[in-house]
Amino acid sequence: MKNLLNYTSEELALEIQPKFRVQQLFQWIYQKYADDFSQMTSLPKELRERLGQNYHFKSLECIRKEESKDGSVKYLFQLKDKELIETVFLPMKKELRDEKGKVLQEAKYTICVSSQVGCKSGCSFCLTAKDGFKRNLEAAEIVEQILYIKREKNIAYEKRVNIVYMGMGEPLDNLKNVAKAVRIISEDDTLAIAPKRQTISTSGLAKQIKELGKMNLGVLLAISLHAVDDELRSELMPINKAYNIAQIIEALKEFPINQRKRLMFEYLLIAGVNDSLEHAKKLVKLLEGIRAKVNLILFNPHFGAIYKRPSMQDAIAFQDYLSSKRIVCTIRESKGLDISAACGQLSKKGKR
């Protein structure tokens, strides 16, 4: 059977006529959160029966859910072939109302999705790497992670969320399906999550960065840099042996970005490894000429880790130096640490 979540509306209109039925069908799935074709009462009974015989829109089963004290939720999903992935829901801001009930601040949410079962990159600081690589996710399996959480959290269609492709896997190693997922979830008839609300994170696959740039999807791009010289980066991230820092920077200079936006660089601070003032100085020099924003992430410990989390004092000193050189720099709060849901802690085997 075919998975409806693999289709854009234009593609599905080639199989289901008249075209307005596709719009109705997608509204039931993505906006009204229908669980079954039988609930889609605006569709003719004959069409519902035909859909049930030829299509489905469920490929994930949630087999465990863990909630952090900060409100983050980690979902362990089982796929049709029994493989496992993890997805994280992150509440970024709470809704605030005045005494009359008027909304003063809208709630803001981010969903961190996986793009692969396991990962090929083999980064030494990441728990996902310990699982090895099994396979790429289909576009539908990526889309359903978002749909499931929006439905489970009862987040209305018109309430937008931010999507970060920063879960398990290297998104650009699965570029075809990730790009397809971006197109699907950005459609008005589906989840209507604009590309500017979607961030693709990569460990630096220079060739695929260029390919993504040519697609001009309008997504934001985040580069997991984590080191300022090739020797250390190759130690932390073996993928650097294939695409070194110079190649990555060259590819980034060609990447199309909105004039009001910046290229994001993720820099994982590891105690005694890459968190000194000398490293900060080299990072400033490396990013010269690039409209960059640097997100500093304190290493998140996990079972079997050989690295240590740096002190907040050292992180602030690193941030202050970058800021003094007019580089936008933030220390990113690690949400979900207590349920192993933070960066580098996701695993297809669940919590460890």
Side-chain angles (χ1 to χ4, degrees):
M1 295 177 73
K2 301 176 183 178
N3 193 329
L4 289 171
L5 305 188
N6 265 323
Y7 289 82
T8 63
S9 56
E10 186 177 323
E11 290 170 339
L12 193 57
L14 298 175
E15 298 183 20
I16 297 175
Q17 296 290 336
K19 189 175 182 178
F20 76 88
R21 294 299 186 195
V22 172
Q23 185 180 38
Q24 289 179 312
L25 174 59
F26 276 4
Q27 286 174 347
W28 278 107
I29 294 173
Y30 290 104
Q31 300 172 25
K32 299 179 182 179
Y33 302 146
D35 287 318
D36 190 83
F37 292 116
S38 63
Q39 298 173 357
M40 304 178 185
T41 52
S42 62
L43 300 179
K45 184 179 179 181
E46 181 183 351
L47 176 57
R48 280 181 272 156
E49 291 175 351
R50 180 158 59 89
L51 288 169
Q53 292 169 0
N54 295 284
Y55 301 91
H56 73 96
F57 53 96
K58 291 181 181 179
S59 57
L60 308 181
E61 178 188 356
C62 181
I63 60 174
R64 186 164 69 236
K65 183 175 75 170
E66 298 173 77
E67 187 162 352
S68 167
K69 58 187 178 184
D70 63 23
S72 303
V73 183
K74 183 172 70 170
Y75 299 82
L76 180 64
F77 290 117
Q78 182 173 270
L79 310 175
K80 290 290 188 182
D81 58 1
K82 306 302 181 184
E83 291 294 340
L84 302 173
I85 58 170
E86 290 191 316
T87 310
V88 183
F89 169 78
L90 302 164
M92 309 305 289
K93 287 185 180 180
K94 293 182 179 180
E95 182 181 86
L96 298 178
R97 294 176 179 265
D98 63 17
E99 63 276 6
K100 295 181 180 180
K102 182 181 178 181
V103 176
L104 301 176
Q105 175 182 283
E106 295 278 354
K108 291 189 176 181
Y109 309 111
T110 294
I111 299 175
C112 180
V113 302
S114 292
S115 56
Q116 296 179 314
V117 180
C119 185
K120 294 178 184 177
S121 296
C123 299
S124 62
F125 50 80
C126 182
L127 184 56
T128 305
K130 307 282 190 263
D131 295 333
F133 173 77
K134 189 68 177 181
R135 69 172 176 87
N136 287 327
L137 295 186
E138 295 180 0
E141 293 170 321
I142 297 171
V143 172
E144 192 176 350
Q145 293 173 63
I146 305 162
L147 177 60
Y148 182 98
I149 291 173
K150 282 201 74 177
R151 180 173 58 229
E152 197 260 349
K153 284 291 182 181
N154 197 27
I155 300 174
Y157 160 74
E158 61 273 10
K159 177 62 186 174
R160 303 298 179 246
V161 300
N162 293 319
I163 305 302
V164 291
Y165 298 84
M166 296 182 182
M168 294 170 55
E170 162 58 66
L172 294 192
D173 194 35
N174 186 18
L175 180 55
K176 179 181 177 182
N177 288 317
V178 168
K180 181 72 174 291
V182 169
R183 293 189 181 101
I184 291 171
I185 68 175
S186 64
E187 289 192 338
D188 288 341
D189 290 334
T190 62
L191 293 169
I193 301 172
K196 66 182 180 181
R197 289 184 174 272
Q198 302 184 52
T199 300
I200 294 177
S201 176
T202 176
S203 56
L205 279 63
K207 179 182 176 182
Q208 287 89 327
I209 289 172
K210 291 182 179 181
E211 289 178 25
L212 177 64
K214 290 175 183 177
M215 290 179 179
N216 203 18
L217 295 176
V219 296
L220 302 180
L221 186 65
I223 313 302
S224 296
L225 193 60
H226 308 327
V228 291
D229 62 73
D230 284 324
E231 183 179 1
L232 177 58
R233 195 168 191 272
S234 294
E235 178 185 327
L236 297 174
M237 307 173 71
I239 193 69
N240 193 71
K241 296 171 185 176
Y243 300 106
N244 64 26
I245 294 175
Q247 290 173 294
I248 296 168
I249 297 297
E250 178 191 354
L252 292 176
K253 288 182 176 179
E254 298 176 13
F255 193 83
I257 57 171
N258 187 298
Q259 288 300 311
R260 292 173 295 176
K261 301 293 183 180
R262 296 174 183 269
L263 282 169
M264 287 186 285
F265 291 84
E266 309 287 339
Y267 192 94
L268 183 69
L269 289 170
I270 304 172
V273 175
N274 64 354
D275 62 340
S276 71
L277 189 58
E278 285 304 310
H279 290 111
K281 290 178 179 179
K282 289 181 180 179
L283 181 56
V284 169
K285 187 174 181 180
L286 185 64
L287 299 182
E288 187 175 352
I290 296 176
R291 294 184 70 251
K293 176 183 178 182
V294 176
N295 290 323
L296 300 178
I297 307 166
L298 277 63
F299 173 70
N300 296 312
H302 54 77
F303 179 78
I306 59 173
Y307 302 116
K308 293 182 179 180
R309 190 176 179 88
S311 69
M312 184 57 72
Q313 182 180 356
D314 287 344
I316 292 173
F318 200 103
Q319 179 192 32
D320 286 347
Y321 182 81
L322 265 61
S323 298
S324 72
K325 300 301 179 180
R326 298 183 178 179
I327 293 179
V328 177
C329 181
T330 60
I331 297 176
R332 200 167 82 192
E333 178 186 1
S334 292
K335 288 181 172 287
L337 271 173
D338 56 325
I339 57 169
S340 298
C343 291
Q345 293 185 319
L346 301 186
S347 167
K348 69 181 182 180
K349 295 178 182 177
K351 188 174 183 180
R352 298 211 180 167

